[in-house]
Amino acid sequence: MNADRELLVATGVRKIYRTGSVAVTALDDLDLAVRPGEMVGVMGPSGSGKTTLLNCLSGLDDIDAGRVEIEGRDLFAMSDAVRTEHRARTMGFVFQAFNLIPVFSAVENVELPLLLVGTRPHEARSRALAMLDRVGLGHRVGHRPSEMSGGEQQRVTIARALVGRPAVVWADEPTGNLDTTMAGQVMDLLCALNRDEGQTIVLVTHDSAIGARVPRLIRMRDGRLVGDVRQNVPGGAEAAADLSRG
Ligand code: ADP
Ligand code: MG
């Protein structure tokens, strides 16, 4: 593995949840490397550790063993404060629940992460407006979340995740709350951002139709990586056939 070329390198990552006398090994000696510009799908059955992988590799949650490096920096060697700051500057997040601030308009939601890292208000506003335009919501900038469809709300969260030009965007079941049409539109957008702008994206899904659309698909079972394939996209037929063989 050529560490210089990797954006993210996880080695021997272990995560154990302890609840009373029960211990669940959610990540078991996991290795993963992601290059700049990759779009990586993470699939696996419910409980296989997909969300844990995302939370641990992004440093949202602690690990029990191993090492995670982003752009050559050891995530867990940082203090909590430094890690939080590092996350705000290098990572964007998109979750199944849109997690927008209900009393804020679309543009206020999108500019917030920029304001939090000290971007001047005028610049934050203009970048948020440009990003909303990029996700096809130039006509909705003043709407509150409750005044938008689920697909529109998720495109606002994607704009919010990308506005700071993060090194990596983590998405956990981003289409999980959307109907098929809206899910397709959100995937179109994520794929375009990866293809056209080289945005690195790690996307967790349990939906094989979504998994068929990503250039690289890794599969998890019981906290371990059990597959890692590069697929021909668009089309995804090859991948779909592969998945149906299970
Ligand atoms: P997935 O996202 O693939 O459905 P998760 O990463 O959420 O899987 O969970 C992996 C395993 O860890 C499961 O067995 C789950 O029950 C367990 N788990 C997840 N979060 C917690 C937690 N906060 N406390 C205890 N066990 C957890
Ligand atoms: Mg999950």
Side-chain angles (χ1 to χ4, degrees), residues 17-19 24-26 44-53 172 204:
Y17 291 112
R18 292 186 181 80
T19 330
V24 174
T25 304
S46 179
S48 59
K50 305 183 296 299
T51 294
T52 306
L53 176 142
D172 191 355
V204 165

Side-chain angles (χ1 to χ4, degrees), residues 56-59 68 70 73-78 83 86 91:
C56 288
L57 269 47
S58 63
V68 178
I70 307 251
R73 293 186 65 194
D74 183 342
L75 212 52
F76 295 101
M78 300 173 191
R83 187 160 59 242
H86 177 261
M91 301 182 196

